Amino acid sequence: MRDLRRLVGHAPVNFVGAAGLICNAAGEVLLQRRRGSERWGLVAGIAELGEPLEQTLRREVQEELGLTVQAAEFLELLNPAGLSRVANGDEFYSYTALYRVTAWTGIPVPDGVEIAEARFFSLAEFPPLTRLGQRAKEVMSSPASMAAW
């Protein structure tokens, strides 16, 4: 991303990434809170150049929480809600492939660099959510989606 920003500055760009719905045996969803944020969301990240999106999911889950994704199912492509801007002035549109992680191993441990906290939540106790976190809640609340879990 740094190389791209050296070339284009703060100008708007398209980013593509992946996010994972990870549930435990109790049906609770794993959410994480990034450092400096009050909102919670799904494990997610931007694809490296040429990286397949399922591999992006596996890499981000491993890097951010130390979990190994064994199997994942593509659910949908989330289009950007609009142009986003971060504190340094960088602008972007974010497209995110949403996956349901159907098999994983490990114990979620936040990396302490990007991720401050990670916990499993029931639908009834969701904390304040990011856009991806809100989409997870919608998917989890759908009777058809719940039948698939």
Side-chain angles (χ1 to χ4, degrees):
M1 194 173 353
R2 286 187 195 108
D3 292 341
L4 176 63
R5 285 297 179 194
R6 273 187 224 123
L7 294 172
V8 301
H10 297 298
V13 296
N14 285 330
F15 285 133
V16 64
L21 271 167
I22 301 171
C23 291
N24 63 15
E28 299 168 318
V29 67
L30 180 61
L31 297 176
Q32 65 180 18
R33 186 179 62 77
R34 293 188 177 277
R35 290 180 55 145
S37 176
E38 298 298 318
R39 297 189 178 277
W40 293 71
L42 298 177
V43 180
I46 298 170
E48 300 288 338
L49 187 62
E51 182 179 46
L53 292 175
E54 189 172 329
Q55 181 59 37
T56 300
L57 171 70
R58 292 172 188 275
R59 178 181 50 77
E60 290 290 343
V61 169
Q62 179 66 48
E63 288 175 0
E64 294 181 357
L65 296 178
L67 300 177
T68 300
V69 172
Q70 296 173 317
E73 170 187 306
F74 176 77
L75 294 176
E76 64 183 329
L77 180 65
L78 303 173
N79 291 312
L83 182 65
S84 295
R85 175 182 279 174
V86 293
N88 70 359
D90 289 353
E91 295 181 324
F92 61 94
Y93 294 95
S94 181
Y95 298 82
T96 305
L98 179 61
Y99 288 88
R100 175 182 303 144
V101 176
T102 55
W104 54 276
T105 59
I107 297 171
V109 176
D111 68 2
V113 177
E114 288 184 69
I115 310 306
E117 294 181 77
R119 292 195 340 238
F120 286 96
F121 291 91
S122 71
L123 284 174
E125 63 180 12
F126 269 23
L129 299 170
T130 65
R131 180 173 169 255
L132 281 175
Q134 186 59 43
R135 184 61 190 132
K137 186 174 184 178
E138 293 165 4
V139 169
M140 298 290 294
S141 297
S142 161
S145 292
M146 287 309 292
W149 290 96

PDB file of all heavy atoms in Angstrom, residues 12-13 17 20 26 30 41-42 47 61 64 70 73 75 78 82 85 88 90 95 99-100 102 112 120 125 131 136:
ATOM      1  N   PRO A  12      -8.209   9.034  -4.577  1.00  0.00           N
ATOM      2  CA  PRO A  12      -9.038   7.841  -4.363  1.00  0.00           C
ATOM      3  C   PRO A  12      -8.532   6.650  -5.177  1.00  0.00           C
ATOM      4  O   PRO A  12      -8.118   6.799  -6.332  1.00  0.00           O
ATOM      5  CB  PRO A  12     -10.418   8.265  -4.863  1.00  0.00           C
ATOM      6  CG  PRO A  12     -10.412   9.758  -4.841  1.00  0.00           C
ATOM      7  CD  PRO A  12      -8.987  10.158  -5.094  1.00  0.00           C
ATOM      8  N   VAL A  13      -8.548   5.479  -4.545  1.00  0.00           N
ATOM      9  CA  VAL A  13      -8.201   4.218  -5.196  1.00  0.00           C
ATOM     10  C   VAL A  13      -9.228   3.165  -4.786  1.00  0.00           C
ATOM     11  O   VAL A  13      -9.962   3.350  -3.815  1.00  0.00           O
ATOM     12  CB  VAL A  13      -6.772   3.733  -4.821  1.00  0.00           C
ATOM     13  CG1 VAL A  13      -5.712   4.701  -5.319  1.00  0.00           C
ATOM     14  CG2 VAL A  13      -6.646   3.526  -3.326  1.00  0.00           C
ATOM     15  N   GLY A  17     -10.564  -6.644  -0.597  1.00  0.00           N
ATOM     16  CA  GLY A  17     -10.098  -7.411   0.548  1.00  0.00           C
ATOM     17  C   GLY A  17     -11.064  -8.519   0.882  1.00  0.00           C
ATOM     18  O   GLY A  17     -11.974  -8.829   0.117  1.00  0.00           O
ATOM     19  N   GLY A  20     -13.985 -12.408   7.361  1.00  0.00           N
ATOM     20  CA  GLY A  20     -14.470 -13.731   7.755  1.00  0.00           C
ATOM     21  C   GLY A  20     -15.444 -13.709   8.907  1.00  0.00           C
ATOM     22  O   GLY A  20     -15.206 -13.060   9.922  1.00  0.00           O
ATOM     23  N   ALA A  26     -20.953 -22.415  20.252  1.00  0.00           N
ATOM     24  CA  ALA A  26     -22.142 -21.829  20.866  1.00  0.00           C
ATOM     25  C   ALA A  26     -22.896 -20.905  19.908  1.00  0.00           C
ATOM     26  O   ALA A  26     -23.916 -20.328  20.270  1.00  0.00           O
ATOM     27  CB  ALA A  26     -21.751 -21.065  22.130  1.00  0.00           C
ATOM     28  N   LEU A  30     -17.027 -14.209  16.227  1.00  0.00           N
ATOM     29  CA  LEU A  30     -15.774 -13.587  16.651  1.00  0.00           C
ATOM     30  C   LEU A  30     -15.681 -12.187  16.055  1.00  0.00           C
ATOM     31  O   LEU A  30     -15.740 -12.017  14.847  1.00  0.00           O
ATOM     32  CB  LEU A  30     -14.587 -14.437  16.183  1.00  0.00           C
ATOM     33  CG  LEU A  30     -13.197 -13.925  16.550  1.00  0.00           C
ATOM     34  CD1 LEU A  30     -13.022 -13.837  18.071  1.00  0.00           C
ATOM     35  CD2 LEU A  30     -12.129 -14.826  15.948  1.00  0.00           C
ATOM     36  N   GLY A  41     -15.585  -5.222  14.682  1.00  0.00           N
ATOM     37  CA  GLY A  41     -15.911  -5.732  13.352  1.00  0.00           C
ATOM     38  C   GLY A  41     -15.320  -7.103  13.123  1.00  0.00           C
ATOM     39  O   GLY A  41     -14.740  -7.719  14.021  1.00  0.00           O
ATOM     40  N   LEU A  42     -15.479  -7.567  11.912  1.00  0.00           N
ATOM     41  CA  LEU A  42     -14.962  -8.878  11.517  1.00  0.00           C
ATOM     42  C   LEU A  42     -13.460  -8.815  11.273  1.00  0.00           C
ATOM     43  O   LEU A  42     -12.908  -7.752  11.012  1.00  0.00           O
ATOM     44  CB  LEU A  42     -15.642  -9.327  10.222  1.00  0.00           C
ATOM     45  CG  LEU A  42     -17.145  -9.527  10.280  1.00  0.00           C
ATOM     46  CD1 LEU A  42     -17.672  -9.903   8.898  1.00  0.00           C
ATOM     47  CD2 LEU A  42     -17.514 -10.583  11.310  1.00  0.00           C
ATOM     48  N   ALA A  47      -6.213  -7.237   0.215  1.00  0.00           N
ATOM     49  CA  ALA A  47      -5.437  -8.223  -0.543  1.00  0.00           C
ATOM     50  C   ALA A  47      -4.093  -7.642  -0.975  1.00  0.00           C
ATOM     51  O   ALA A  47      -3.993  -6.461  -1.325  1.00  0.00           O
ATOM     52  CB  ALA A  47      -6.219  -8.675  -1.773  1.00  0.00           C
ATOM     53  N   VAL A  61      -6.483 -13.557   9.031  1.00  0.00           N
ATOM     54  CA  VAL A  61      -6.906 -14.237  10.257  1.00  0.00           C
ATOM     55  C   VAL A  61      -5.680 -14.718  11.029  1.00  0.00           C
ATOM     56  O   VAL A  61      -5.605 -14.572  12.254  1.00  0.00           O
ATOM     57  CB  VAL A  61      -7.873 -15.402   9.935  1.00  0.00           C
ATOM     58  CG1 VAL A  61      -8.118 -16.277  11.156  1.00  0.00           C
ATOM     59  CG2 VAL A  61      -9.192 -14.866   9.384  1.00  0.00           C
ATOM     60  N   GLU A  64      -3.613 -11.377  12.295  1.00  0.00           N
ATOM     61  CA  GLU A  64      -4.270 -10.543  13.294  1.00  0.00           C
ATOM     62  C   GLU A  64      -4.651 -11.289  14.563  1.00  0.00           C
ATOM     63  O   GLU A  64      -4.639 -10.710  15.641  1.00  0.00           O
ATOM     64  CB  GLU A  64      -5.495  -9.857  12.683  1.00  0.00           C
ATOM     65  CG  GLU A  64      -5.094  -8.855  11.607  1.00  0.00           C
ATOM     66  CD  GLU A  64      -6.260  -8.116  10.987  1.00  0.00           C
ATOM     67  OE1 GLU A  64      -7.437  -8.398  11.342  1.00  0.00           O
ATOM     68  OE2 GLU A  64      -6.008  -7.243  10.143  1.00  0.00           O
ATOM     69  N   GLN A  70      -9.131 -23.430   8.110  1.00  0.00           N
ATOM     70  CA  GLN A  70      -9.038 -24.706   7.403  1.00  0.00           C
ATOM     71  C   GLN A  70     -10.014 -24.791   6.238  1.00  0.00           C
ATOM     72  O   GLN A  70      -9.735 -25.464   5.254  1.00  0.00           O
ATOM     73  CB  GLN A  70      -9.269 -25.852   8.383  1.00  0.00           C
ATOM     74  CG  GLN A  70      -8.195 -25.911   9.447  1.00  0.00           C
ATOM     75  CD  GLN A  70      -8.512 -26.943  10.509  1.00  0.00           C
ATOM     76  OE1 GLN A  70      -9.640 -27.054  10.974  1.00  0.00           O
ATOM     77  NE2 GLN A  70      -7.498 -27.700  10.891  1.00  0.00           N
ATOM     78  N   GLU A  73     -16.250 -20.589   3.081  1.00  0.00           N
ATOM     79  CA  GLU A  73     -17.246 -20.572   2.015  1.00  0.00           C
ATOM     80  C   GLU A  73     -17.558 -19.121   1.655  1.00  0.00           C
ATOM     81  O   GLU A  73     -17.893 -18.315   2.536  1.00  0.00           O
ATOM     82  CB  GLU A  73     -18.499 -21.278   2.539  1.00  0.00           C
ATOM     83  CG  GLU A  73     -19.715 -21.179   1.685  1.00  0.00           C
ATOM     84  CD  GLU A  73     -20.924 -21.776   2.420  1.00  0.00           C
ATOM     85  OE1 GLU A  73     -20.843 -22.925   2.865  1.00  0.00           O
ATOM     86  OE2 GLU A  73     -21.930 -21.051   2.544  1.00  0.00           O
ATOM     87  N   LEU A  75     -19.582 -15.989   0.690  1.00  0.00           N
ATOM     88  CA  LEU A  75     -20.979 -15.602   0.867  1.00  0.00           C
ATOM     89  C   LEU A  75     -21.411 -14.525  -0.107  1.00  0.00           C
ATOM     90  O   LEU A  75     -22.423 -14.644  -0.776  1.00  0.00           O
ATOM     91  CB  LEU A  75     -21.232 -15.109   2.302  1.00  0.00           C
ATOM     92  CG  LEU A  75     -21.085 -16.127   3.414  1.00  0.00           C
ATOM     93  CD1 LEU A  75     -21.277 -15.467   4.776  1.00  0.00           C
ATOM     94  CD2 LEU A  75     -22.072 -17.269   3.227  1.00  0.00           C
ATOM     95  N   LEU A  78     -19.210  -7.405  -0.875  1.00  0.00           N
ATOM     96  CA  LEU A  78     -19.771  -6.174  -0.329  1.00  0.00           C
ATOM     97  C   LEU A  78     -19.182  -4.991  -1.082  1.00  0.00           C
ATOM     98  O   LEU A  78     -17.965  -4.837  -1.161  1.00  0.00           O
ATOM     99  CB  LEU A  78     -19.448  -6.060   1.160  1.00  0.00           C
ATOM    100  CG  LEU A  78     -19.931  -7.221   2.022  1.00  0.00           C
ATOM    101  CD1 LEU A  78     -19.421  -7.082   3.440  1.00  0.00           C
ATOM    102  CD2 LEU A  78     -21.443  -7.315   1.991  1.00  0.00           C
ATOM    103  N   GLY A  82     -19.468   4.128   0.031  1.00  0.00           N
ATOM    104  CA  GLY A  82     -19.095   5.430  -0.509  1.00  0.00           C
ATOM    105  C   GLY A  82     -17.595   5.598  -0.367  1.00  0.00           C
ATOM    106  O   GLY A  82     -16.884   4.669   0.017  1.00  0.00           O
ATOM    107  N   ARG A  85     -12.278   8.058   3.822  1.00  0.00           N
ATOM    108  CA  ARG A  85     -11.067   8.865   4.013  1.00  0.00           C
ATOM    109  C   ARG A  85     -10.535   8.573   5.411  1.00  0.00           C
ATOM    110  O   ARG A  85     -11.280   8.586   6.369  1.00  0.00           O
ATOM    111  CB  ARG A  85     -11.368  10.339   3.875  1.00  0.00           C
ATOM    112  CG  ARG A  85     -10.130  11.207   4.194  1.00  0.00           C
ATOM    113  CD  ARG A  85     -10.417  12.659   4.117  1.00  0.00           C
ATOM    114  NE  ARG A  85     -10.371  13.027   2.701  1.00  0.00           N
ATOM    115  CZ  ARG A  85     -10.694  14.216   2.245  1.00  0.00           C
ATOM    116  NH1 ARG A  85     -11.108  15.145   3.067  1.00  0.00           N
ATOM    117  NH2 ARG A  85     -10.607  14.487   0.968  1.00  0.00           N
ATOM    118  N   ASN A  88      -4.992  10.495   7.649  1.00  0.00           N
ATOM    119  CA  ASN A  88      -3.882  11.114   6.913  1.00  0.00           C
ATOM    120  C   ASN A  88      -4.308  11.697   5.562  1.00  0.00           C
ATOM    121  O   ASN A  88      -3.485  12.229   4.828  1.00  0.00           O
ATOM    122  CB  ASN A  88      -2.737  10.121   6.722  1.00  0.00           C
ATOM    123  CG  ASN A  88      -3.078   9.003   5.753  1.00  0.00           C
ATOM    124  OD1 ASN A  88      -4.175   8.933   5.218  1.00  0.00           O
ATOM    125  ND2 ASN A  88      -2.130   8.112   5.543  1.00  0.00           N
ATOM    126  N   ASP A  90      -5.744   9.915   2.979  1.00  0.00           N
ATOM    127  CA  ASP A  90      -5.895   8.894   1.942  1.00  0.00           C
ATOM    128  C   ASP A  90      -7.380   8.599   1.719  1.00  0.00           C
ATOM    129  O   ASP A  90      -8.142   8.463   2.676  1.00  0.00           O
ATOM    130  CB  ASP A  90      -5.197   7.593   2.333  1.00  0.00           C
ATOM    131  CG  ASP A  90      -3.680   7.678   2.302  1.00  0.00           C
ATOM    132  OD1 ASP A  90      -3.146   8.715   1.851  1.00  0.00           O
ATOM    133  OD2 ASP A  90      -3.040   6.712   2.729  1.00  0.00           O
ATOM    134  N   TYR A  95     -13.956  -2.776  -1.516  1.00  0.00           N
ATOM    135  CA  TYR A  95     -14.771  -3.924  -1.913  1.00  0.00           C
ATOM    136  C   TYR A  95     -14.301  -5.117  -1.079  1.00  0.00           C
ATOM    137  O   TYR A  95     -13.099  -5.392  -1.020  1.00  0.00           O
ATOM    138  CB  TYR A  95     -14.593  -4.233  -3.398  1.00  0.00           C
ATOM    139  CG  TYR A  95     -15.037  -3.094  -4.281  1.00  0.00           C
ATOM    140  CD1 TYR A  95     -14.200  -2.014  -4.535  1.00  0.00           C
ATOM    141  CD2 TYR A  95     -16.311  -3.090  -4.833  1.00  0.00           C
ATOM    142  CE1 TYR A  95     -14.617  -0.951  -5.327  1.00  0.00           C
ATOM    143  CE2 TYR A  95     -16.735  -2.028  -5.629  1.00  0.00           C
ATOM    144  CZ  TYR A  95     -15.883  -0.967  -5.872  1.00  0.00           C
ATOM    145  OH  TYR A  95     -16.301   0.083  -6.650  1.00  0.00           O
ATOM    146  N   TYR A  99     -16.660 -14.099   3.688  1.00  0.00           N
ATOM    147  CA  TYR A  99     -16.597 -15.557   3.774  1.00  0.00           C
ATOM    148  C   TYR A  99     -17.148 -16.035   5.105  1.00  0.00           C
ATOM    149  O   TYR A  99     -16.993 -15.360   6.131  1.00  0.00           O
ATOM    150  CB  TYR A  99     -15.140 -16.047   3.689  1.00  0.00           C
ATOM    151  CG  TYR A  99     -14.528 -15.919   2.330  1.00  0.00           C
ATOM    152  CD1 TYR A  99     -13.886 -14.754   1.948  1.00  0.00           C
ATOM    153  CD2 TYR A  99     -14.575 -16.986   1.428  1.00  0.00           C
ATOM    154  CE1 TYR A  99     -13.310 -14.641   0.694  1.00  0.00           C
ATOM    155  CE2 TYR A  99     -14.000 -16.873   0.178  1.00  0.00           C
ATOM    156  CZ  TYR A  99     -13.371 -15.704  -0.187  1.00  0.00           C
ATOM    157  OH  TYR A  99     -12.798 -15.586  -1.425  1.00  0.00           O
ATOM    158  N   ARG A 100     -17.766 -17.188   5.099  1.00  0.00           N
ATOM    159  CA  ARG A 100     -18.123 -17.907   6.315  1.00  0.00           C
ATOM    160  C   ARG A 100     -17.010 -18.916   6.554  1.00  0.00           C
ATOM    161  O   ARG A 100     -16.744 -19.779   5.712  1.00  0.00           O
ATOM    162  CB  ARG A 100     -19.447 -18.651   6.149  1.00  0.00           C
ATOM    163  CG  ARG A 100     -19.792 -19.517   7.354  1.00  0.00           C
ATOM    164  CD  ARG A 100     -21.076 -20.285   7.149  1.00  0.00           C
ATOM    165  NE  ARG A 100     -22.145 -19.331   6.866  1.00  0.00           N
ATOM    166  CZ  ARG A 100     -23.140 -19.573   6.007  1.00  0.00           C
ATOM    167  NH1 ARG A 100     -23.218 -20.700   5.360  1.00  0.00           N
ATOM    168  NH2 ARG A 100     -24.064 -18.670   5.819  1.00  0.00           N
ATOM    169  N   THR A 102     -15.793 -22.086   7.949  1.00  0.00           N
ATOM    170  CA  THR A 102     -16.493 -23.291   8.383  1.00  0.00           C
ATOM    171  C   THR A 102     -15.621 -24.226   9.205  1.00  0.00           C
ATOM    172  O   THR A 102     -16.141 -25.122   9.867  1.00  0.00           O
ATOM    173  CB  THR A 102     -17.065 -24.044   7.168  1.00  0.00           C
ATOM    174  OG1 THR A 102     -16.002 -24.311   6.242  1.00  0.00           O
ATOM    175  CG2 THR A 102     -18.131 -23.209   6.462  1.00  0.00           C
ATOM    176  N   GLY A 112      -1.884  -7.177  18.910  1.00  0.00           N
ATOM    177  CA  GLY A 112      -1.374  -6.063  19.712  1.00  0.00           C
ATOM    178  C   GLY A 112      -0.841  -4.913  18.885  1.00  0.00           C
ATOM    179  O   GLY A 112      -0.497  -3.870  19.425  1.00  0.00           O
ATOM    180  N   PHE A 120     -15.667 -13.476  21.318  1.00  0.00           N
ATOM    181  CA  PHE A 120     -16.885 -14.023  20.738  1.00  0.00           C
ATOM    182  C   PHE A 120     -18.081 -13.337  21.388  1.00  0.00           C
ATOM    183  O   PHE A 120     -18.108 -13.138  22.603  1.00  0.00           O
ATOM    184  CB  PHE A 120     -16.962 -15.532  20.967  1.00  0.00           C
ATOM    185  CG  PHE A 120     -16.021 -16.311  20.089  1.00  0.00           C
ATOM    186  CD1 PHE A 120     -14.778 -16.702  20.552  1.00  0.00           C
ATOM    187  CD2 PHE A 120     -16.386 -16.648  18.792  1.00  0.00           C
ATOM    188  CE1 PHE A 120     -13.912 -17.413  19.746  1.00  0.00           C
ATOM    189  CE2 PHE A 120     -15.523 -17.366  17.974  1.00  0.00           C
ATOM    190  CZ  PHE A 120     -14.290 -17.757  18.453  1.00  0.00           C
ATOM    191  N   GLU A 125     -25.704  -9.581  22.433  1.00  0.00           N
ATOM    192  CA  GLU A 125     -24.751  -8.743  23.174  1.00  0.00           C
ATOM    193  C   GLU A 125     -23.739  -8.026  22.288  1.00  0.00           C
ATOM    194  O   GLU A 125     -22.706  -7.583  22.783  1.00  0.00           O
ATOM    195  CB  GLU A 125     -24.026  -9.591  24.218  1.00  0.00           C
ATOM    196  CG  GLU A 125     -23.174 -10.700  23.625  1.00  0.00           C
ATOM    197  CD  GLU A 125     -22.460 -11.549  24.676  1.00  0.00           C
ATOM    198  OE1 GLU A 125     -22.774 -11.452  25.873  1.00  0.00           O
ATOM    199  OE2 GLU A 125     -21.578 -12.309  24.266  1.00  0.00           O
ATOM    200  N   ARG A 131     -19.073  -1.138   9.863  1.00  0.00           N
ATOM    201  CA  ARG A 131     -19.954  -1.530   8.754  1.00  0.00           C
ATOM    202  C   ARG A 131     -19.895  -3.043   8.530  1.00  0.00           C
ATOM    203  O   ARG A 131     -20.921  -3.692   8.345  1.00  0.00           O
ATOM    204  CB  ARG A 131     -19.543  -0.782   7.484  1.00  0.00           C
ATOM    205  CG  ARG A 131     -20.393  -1.131   6.287  1.00  0.00           C
ATOM    206  CD  ARG A 131     -20.058  -0.230   5.097  1.00  0.00           C
ATOM    207  NE  ARG A 131     -20.695  -0.748   3.915  1.00  0.00           N
ATOM    208  CZ  ARG A 131     -20.073  -1.403   2.939  1.00  0.00           C
ATOM    209  NH1 ARG A 131     -18.772  -1.568   2.988  1.00  0.00           N
ATOM    210  NH2 ARG A 131     -20.723  -1.847   1.896  1.00  0.00           N
ATOM    211  N   ALA A 136     -22.295  -8.519   9.384  1.00  0.00           N
ATOM    212  CA  ALA A 136     -22.250  -9.822  10.047  1.00  0.00           C
ATOM    213  C   ALA A 136     -23.502 -10.051  10.873  1.00  0.00           C
ATOM    214  O   ALA A 136     -24.098 -11.136  10.841  1.00  0.00           O
ATOM    215  CB  ALA A 136     -21.010  -9.923  10.936  1.00  0.00           C
TER     216      ALA A 136
END
